[in-house]
Amino acid sequence: FGDVRTTGSMESSRCRDLALEGERLCRSGDWQAGVTRLEEALQEGCTDLSTLSFAYGHLGEAYFYLTDYERSLDCHRQDAKLKKRAGDRTGEAKAYGNLGNVQKAIGRFDEAVASFHRQLALAQEVDDKVRESKAFYSLGNVYHSKGKEAANGLQLDPGQYPVSVKEALQNAACFYEASLQLVQELTDKVAEGRACGNLGNTHYLLGNFEKAIKYHNRRLEIAQEFQDRSAERRACTNLGNAHVFLCQFKAAAKYYRKTLLVALETKDRAVEAQACYSLGNTYTLLKDYTKATEYHLRHLEIARELSDKLDAM
C-alpha cells in the first residue's frame, strides 16, 4: 500500500501516525481497534495520496475480516482511485486485486472478473510478471468458484454437468494454465504447485480424469519436495478419486493408502477416517470384501470416537 514511513513531508503528521498505528493493530489481529485508528487518520484531513491510500487499503482489509463487505469494497475502490491519481500502476493493480478478492468472497463473480481483468491489464502495462500470474490465477479461482456454485446441489458425476457449468470450468482451466506458464518461467515452485492442484481439481470436475491425474501428480511431487504434508495428503486423495472414475481401482487404493499414511503420521483422525472410508469403498469395487470390511470398521470406530468428542465439548 506504499511506504509512508519514508515520506519526509509527513514525518510529524498525526494522520500518518494514526494510519501506522491502525496498521499495527490490524497486523496484531485487533481489527476493530485498527479500524478506529484508520478512520481517525482519514478524519484528519490529510491530503498526501500515499498516506490516504495506505489507510484505505488497510481499512478495506479490516472491514473484510469484520465481515462489513460493502465498506470493504468502498475502501478498496478509494484505494484504487488514489493509486491511479498518484500514477502508481503497480499499486493500482494490487488494489484491484484486493477489490476482486472481496467481490469473489461474497459471490459477485462477474464484478470480480472485471476487477481481476483490470489488475491483469495494469500488471501487463508495467510488465509485472508476478502480479500478472496472480491475476490469471485469481481469474481462474473466480470461474472455478462460479462453476462449483452453479453445480452445487445437482448431484451429478464429474463431466456430467450442464453447459453453463462446463463453460465456467473451462474458463478456469484456461486462466490457471496461463498462470502456470508464468510461474514456471519465474521458477516459483510453490505457486506452480497451487496452480497444478487447481488445474487437477478443475479437470476432474470436467471429467478429464487423465489430465487431472497429470496435474495432481505434479502437485504431489512439489508437495513432497517442500515437505508440505497437507498438500501431499490432498494430492493423494485427489489422485485416488480420479483413478476411481477411470476404473483403475488398484491405483486408487494405492493413493488412498498414501493418504492414510500421511493422516497417521500427522495424527489427523478426521482425514484417517475419510481415507479408511475411501479404501473400504475401493476394496469393495475390487471385490476384496475382507479388506473392505476391515477399513469400513476402522472408519466406523474413528467416526464414533470423533462423535463422542464432539458430544463432550
Side-chain angles (χ1 to χ4, degrees), residues 38-52:
L38 290 163
E39 291 283 10
E40 288 175 358
L42 292 174
Q43 290 167 9
E44 287 293 313
C46 176
T47 58
D48 181 76
L49 296 180
S50 177
T51 303
L52 287 171

Side-chain angles (χ1 to χ4, degrees), residues 16-245:
R16 181 210 63 178
D17 291 342
L18 287 167
L20 289 173
E21 175 64 9
E23 177 212 15
R24 185 191 67 76
L25 289 165
C26 288
R27 289 188 185 281
S28 71
D30 193 345
W31 299 104
Q32 192 59 65
V35 163
T36 300
R37 290 291 178 273
L38 290 163
E39 291 283 10
E40 288 175 358
L42 292 174
Q43 290 167 9
E44 287 293 313
C46 176
T47 58
D48 181 76
L49 296 180
S50 177
T51 303
L52 287 171
S53 176
F54 181 87
Y56 275 117
H58 284 289
L59 261 178
E61 182 182 3
Y63 278 129
F64 177 80
Y65 279 100
L66 292 171
T67 68
D68 192 338
Y69 300 120
E70 291 303 324
R71 284 188 178 180
S72 178
L73 291 170
D74 287 342
C75 288
H76 287 310
R77 289 190 188 101
Q78 287 296 326
D79 184 23
K81 288 178 182 177
L82 288 163
K83 288 293 198 308
K84 184 175 183 178
R85 282 178 58 192
D88 180 359
R89 292 292 178 262
T90 298
E92 187 183 353
K94 184 175 181 180
Y96 273 107
N98 291 333
L99 181 61
N101 287 334
V102 179
Q103 290 163 332
K104 172 184 171 291
I106 60 177
R108 297 185 186 176
F109 299 126
D110 292 341
E111 292 177 27
V113 165
S115 293
F116 289 131
H117 271 299
R118 180 61 180 154
Q119 180 190 29
L120 177 62
L122 288 162
Q124 290 173 333
E125 182 182 325
V126 297
D127 197 28
D128 184 340
K129 296 297 184 186
V130 172
R131 201 161 300 282
E132 183 181 354
S133 72
K134 289 180 178 179
F136 278 129
Y137 184 79
S138 295
L139 282 162
N141 283 342
V142 174
Y143 279 110
H144 188 258
S145 295
K146 186 175 183 179
K148 285 184 70 176
E149 183 176 281
N152 190 34
L154 294 179
Q155 297 183 333
L156 296 171
D157 284 338
Q160 303 302 311
Y161 295 117
V163 172
S164 60
V165 174
K166 288 184 176 180
E167 285 179 350
L169 293 172
Q170 285 162 352
N171 281 332
C174 288
F175 285 117
Y176 284 141
E177 283 279 9
S179 178
L180 177 61
Q181 182 177 340
L182 280 173
V183 296
Q184 285 175 332
E185 291 173 7
L186 295 165
T187 63
D188 183 346
K189 281 196 173 181
V190 173
E192 180 185 352
R194 285 195 297 266
C196 285
N198 283 334
L199 273 164
N201 292 335
T202 304
H203 281 296
Y204 174 83
L205 291 172
L206 285 166
N208 302 330
F209 302 117
E210 290 181 355
K211 280 189 176 181
I213 287 169
K214 171 188 138 184
Y215 286 115
H216 284 311
N217 269 323
R218 181 58 181 152
R219 180 68 183 113
L220 179 58
E221 289 174 6
I222 295 172
Q224 290 172 332
E225 179 180 344
F226 286 87
Q227 298 182 325
D228 185 340
R229 305 312 303 278
S230 179
E232 181 181 353
R233 184 263 302 168
R234 291 194 301 273
C236 288
T237 299
N238 290 330
L239 283 163
N241 295 342
H243 280 293
V244 164
F245 275 96

Side-chain angles (χ1 to χ4, degrees), residues 219-281:
R219 180 68 183 113
L220 179 58
E221 289 174 6
I222 295 172
Q224 290 172 332
E225 179 180 344
F226 286 87
Q227 298 182 325
D228 185 340
R229 305 312 303 278
S230 179
E232 181 181 353
R233 184 263 302 168
R234 291 194 301 273
C236 288
T237 299
N238 290 330
L239 283 163
N241 295 342
H243 280 293
V244 164
F245 275 96
L246 289 173
C247 297
Q248 297 168 352
F249 304 129
K250 288 184 179 179
K254 179 184 78 172
Y255 284 110
Y256 288 141
R257 286 195 301 271
K258 288 185 176 182
T259 301
L260 179 58
L261 180 62
V262 174
L264 291 168
E265 290 175 352
T266 57
K267 295 180 170 49
D268 190 328
R269 293 290 272 172
V271 172
E272 182 183 349
Q274 184 58 53
C276 287
Y277 180 79
S278 297
L279 281 163
N281 289 340

